[in-house]
Amino acid sequence: MNFAPHDYQAYAINYIETHSVAAVLLDMGLGKTVISLTAISDLLFDSFEAHRILVIAPLRVARDTWPAEIKKWQHLKHLTFAICVGTPKERKAALMARADITIINRENLQWLIESSGFPFDYDMVVIDELSSFKNHNSKRFKSLLKVRPSVKRIIGLTGTPSSNGLMDLWAEFRLLDLGKRLGRFITEYRNNYFVPDKRNGQIIYSYKPQPYAEERIYSQISDITISMKSTDHLQMPELISSEYEVHLSEDEINRYEDLKQELVLDLPDGEITAANAASLTGKLSQLANGAIYSDTGEIIEFHDRKLDALEDIIESANGKSVLVAYWFKHDLSRIKKRFDVREIKSSKDITDWNAGKIPVAVIHPASAGHGLNLQAGGSTLIWFGLTWSLELYQQTNARLWRQGQTSGTVVIEHIITKGTIDECILKALSKKELTQNALIDAVKANL
């Protein structure tokens, strides 16, 4: 296929080529992979400013999306690539290939740098989903930071750089510019832009931004950052977000309230305890979905309201393929028991879904949130169980609501158990609130 870049794509390609350090914040569906690959090709073979490229990506994106994009476009056919995933033997074979582009999943980054036995001689690094390096205490962050001084060009790609707040940005930009703009140390960043929020004496649990901190931070990073929204540049399909409400019986409501108020729920089949607000939200979410894990790990069925609703929605789809997002493992097992579904896990699953061969597919947001192109297979996404993570929520929706979606309308259907924490989660997501604080505050407000 021939690549005729949109104006915004040509701008982004040029930006990458002319900036040795760049944060490219492209909204879902804008084609960040082909943009990056086009710039890589130019840097390798036109300007000769790069020689060995390392791409770091989520596992399925590394294994499926990047190779598929290289094969898809005619102007990229000359690029050689090696996929450094799988067993140590398979990974070493990929490294020995000495390809133009080595694509590795982020879980194996520490192995590559510290244990593989191969020299880290990449002069350009592309981080697909820069937001996955927001934790400065993670092994992947520390490993990459060790070799960062030897990397001449580095590009960070993401659509959601600070899904959990401005504090996320420090680690991401520390990797990009070695601390030049936001400081070399997290304490320096906190002192410059934040003030203590929740605390107990000298112990500080959280921070909140100073007045105008957001503007000051963005001003600091503006010279190496571009940001583009899909709605500004694409004829996106219409997005319809709706709620399918289910209602508990009076007895089920009483038992739900017991857990919420007393933090302990006695059921005939076992006892579930919730020690704090954060774990309680998980228990309440499980109850809202229809089942719960006992203290011994057994699944205790609570109600079938959401399964009934899912059956109604699938039936009303009249044979059109639907994608179902679940959160808990018992959600998946109960859905599988009731319906003929297939999990989207492998490359073949993705291919079959996009070919229209899977009437009902199920995905977990944490494994399918980033980078998978599923828009060819359907236009209806059903949230059986919600996540507090705004990033995972938006990214999962973007598997269908993105460029290349042939349907004029994408429907995001939320199955919501009325009078439960489902309503709090959906409210937090709709307000684009932040994960952990919204989660805990919502529960505290109800206790």
Side-chain angles (χ1 to χ4, degrees):
M1 186 182 295
N2 290 320
F3 178 57
H6 299 284
D7 289 344
Y8 73 86
Q9 290 177 320
Y11 178 85
I13 291 165
N14 181 68
Y15 194 91
I16 292 172
E17 291 178 20
T18 54
H19 289 72
S20 59
V21 176
V24 182
L25 314 183
L26 293 178
D27 215 351
M28 296 78 109
L30 289 179
K32 63 184 178 185
T33 311
V34 69
I35 287 170
S36 305
L37 284 168
T38 304
I40 286 170
S41 177
D42 291 345
L43 289 166
L44 279 171
F45 300 111
D46 286 350
S47 62
F48 306 107
E49 291 182 38
H51 302 89
R52 294 210 69 214
I53 318 294
L54 179 70
V55 173
I56 307 162
L59 175 59
R60 287 173 180 78
V61 179
R63 188 190 64 201
D64 300 321
T65 305
W66 281 81
E69 287 289 301
I70 295 171
K71 295 172 186 174
K72 177 179 178 180
W73 302 106
Q74 189 64 38
H75 72 296
L76 303 175
K77 295 289 187 187
H78 61 283
L79 291 174
T80 61
F81 66 91
I83 308 170
C84 188
V85 304
T87 64
K89 184 179 179 180
E90 290 169 330
R91 298 197 298 267
K92 287 181 178 180
L95 296 177
M96 290 175 67
R98 302 290 294 179
D100 298 327
I101 305 171
T102 300
I103 309 166
I104 193 168
N105 59 311
R106 56 203 181 194
E107 293 82 5
N108 281 323
L109 182 61
Q110 184 186 17
W111 169 86
L112 170 67
I113 295 169
E114 300 177 13
S115 309
S116 69
F118 287 80
F120 192 91
D121 56 357
Y122 303 94
D123 56 358
M124 179 174 178
V125 171
V126 178
I127 306 172
D128 191 351
E129 292 314 333
L130 179 63
S131 59
S132 64
F133 283 80
K134 63 192 174 191
N135 181 1
H136 64 279
N137 290 316
S138 67
K139 293 177 181 177
R140 69 181 69 150
F141 174 88
K142 292 176 179 177
S143 294
L144 187 54
L145 193 60
K146 286 179 187 175
V147 295
R148 171 63 186 90
S150 67
V151 178
K152 294 178 181 176
R153 307 184 73 92
I154 185 165
I155 310 299
L157 306 171
T158 187
T160 49
S162 56
S163 62
N164 294 329
L166 295 171
M167 198 64 80
D168 287 351
L169 291 175
W170 179 81
E172 297 168 19
F173 280 84
R174 177 70 173 86
L175 278 179
L176 293 182
D177 70 359
L178 292 172
K180 181 179 177 183
R181 288 163 182 81
L182 298 182
R184 295 185 62 234
F185 303 100
I186 185 68
T187 49
E188 178 186 355
Y189 180 61
R190 285 187 190 132
N191 293 337
N192 286 340
Y193 300 103
F194 298 84
V195 293
D197 184 15
K198 295 175 183 174
R199 64 191 302 167
N200 182 5
Q202 296 300 310
I203 302 173
I204 301 171
Y205 295 105
S206 63
Y207 292 83
K208 62 183 179 183
Q210 296 176 11
Y212 308 107
E214 190 168 357
E215 292 85 349
R216 290 164 54 215
I217 291 169
Y218 290 160
S219 174
Q220 286 293 316
I221 62 177
S222 61
D223 63 316
I224 59 167
T225 306
I226 55 168
S227 179
M228 297 179 178
K229 293 291 179 188
S230 56
T231 48
D232 296 335
H233 299 282
L234 298 177
Q235 282 295 99
M236 296 288 282
E238 182 183 5
L239 180 66
I240 296 176
S241 180
S242 59
E243 299 172 30
Y244 191 113
E245 291 185 352
V246 300
H247 299 267
L248 301 179
S249 69
E250 188 174 343
D251 179 56
E252 291 161 351
I253 291 172
N254 289 337
R255 286 193 285 170
Y256 180 90
E257 290 298 323
D258 284 344
L259 177 59
K260 190 171 76 174
Q261 298 297 334
E262 306 297 333
L263 304 187
V264 175
L265 173 61
D266 288 316
L267 289 174
D269 301 319
E271 185 182 81
I272 297 93
T273 59
N276 54 52
S279 66
L280 177 61
T281 58
K283 301 291 187 185
L284 294 180
S285 293
Q286 291 178 50
L287 281 178
N289 289 0
I292 193 166
Y293 291 113
S294 71
D295 289 345
T296 57
E298 296 173 75
I299 298 172
I300 300 171
E301 304 252 345
F302 186 58
H303 66 80
D304 286 340
R305 303 282 191 270
K306 286 199 175 186
L307 291 171
D308 295 339
L310 182 57
E311 185 173 328
D312 292 343
I313 296 169
I314 291 172
E315 187 177 337
S316 65
N318 289 321
K320 288 173 62 180
S321 295
V322 297
L323 199 56
V324 181
Y326 71 95
W327 190 248
F328 299 105
K329 286 183 179 179
H330 58 59
D331 293 343
L332 178 61
S333 62
R334 291 169 65 237
I335 290 170
K336 280 184 167 181
K337 194 185 297 183
R338 180 115 164 217
F339 305 98
D340 181 16
V341 301
R342 183 162 150 196
E343 291 181 74
I344 300 291
K345 295 194 296 186
S346 68
S347 303
K348 188 173 190 318
D349 296 329
I350 296 169
T351 301
D352 287 350
W353 163 261
N354 281 325
K357 296 178 180 178
I358 307 176
V360 183
V362 288
I363 56 170
H364 192 282
S367 61
H370 288 296
L372 298 186
N373 296 319
L374 303 176
Q375 69 272 19
S379 59
T380 300
L381 172 64
I382 305 164
W383 282 92
F384 184 88
L386 289 169
T387 169
W388 282 97
S389 169
L390 177 64
E391 179 181 6
L392 291 182
Y393 175 75
Q394 291 179 329
Q395 292 279 2
T396 303
N397 290 343
R399 295 315 103 217
L400 300 186
W401 190 58
R402 64 191 292 121
Q403 189 177 19
Q405 173 61 254
T406 55
S407 173
T409 305
V410 171
V411 177
I412 309 293
E413 187 86 71
H414 309 83
I415 304 178
I416 302 298
T417 305
K418 193 71 176 166
T420 71
I421 200 164
D422 276 357
E423 294 177 310
C424 297
I425 301 173
L426 193 60
K427 181 181 177 183
L429 292 170
S430 65
K431 285 186 173 182
K432 294 181 169 53
E433 290 183 7
L434 309 178
T435 312
Q436 205 63 25
N437 288 341
L439 178 155
I440 293 172
D441 290 346
V443 175
K444 284 183 176 178
N446 283 312
L447 289 177

